[in-house]
Amino acid sequence: MELTIETFLLALQSVRGEIKKHELLTLDPNASDEEISEYGQYVLDLSRAHAELGDAYERARQPYPEYPPYAALSTK
């Protein structure tokens, strides 16, 4: 099954939202050191997943030049 370009866009947007959410959680003054460490690790894991999705998105985007490049999406 081939994923559509729209599916990649939604997945990238969703993962980016989770990254932002967990970045904020690492700044919570009420969080324990262990929680902050877990949030930070999750941000790293999500960032890696976002980059992998970005690679797949770029391959899927080749026939659709009207869609923005991954680099433009990853900064939003």
Side-chain angles (χ1 to χ4, degrees):
M1 178 175 89
E2 198 69 26
L3 297 177
T4 66
I5 193 80
E6 290 84 6
T7 297
F8 281 112
L9 285 170
L10 288 170
L12 285 164
Q13 183 180 31
S14 179
V15 172
R16 186 70 196 134
E18 284 296 300
I19 290 170
K20 288 180 180 182
K21 174 181 155 185
H22 285 84
E23 284 175 337
L24 288 175
L25 288 173
T26 65
L27 303 175
D28 182 355
N30 297 316
S32 69
D33 289 344
E34 183 178 329
E35 288 172 320
I36 291 171
S37 178
E38 288 175 11
Y39 298 147
Q41 183 59 52
Y42 194 50
V43 167
L44 292 175
D45 294 343
L46 287 168
S47 296
R48 185 174 37 256
H50 195 269
E52 290 175 11
L53 279 169
D55 290 343
Y57 168 78
E58 280 300 322
R59 288 189 300 276
R61 189 179 75 86
Q62 289 177 354
Y64 305 100
E66 66 273 16
Y67 284 88
Y70 169 70
L73 298 173
S74 62
T75 58
K76 290 184 178 185

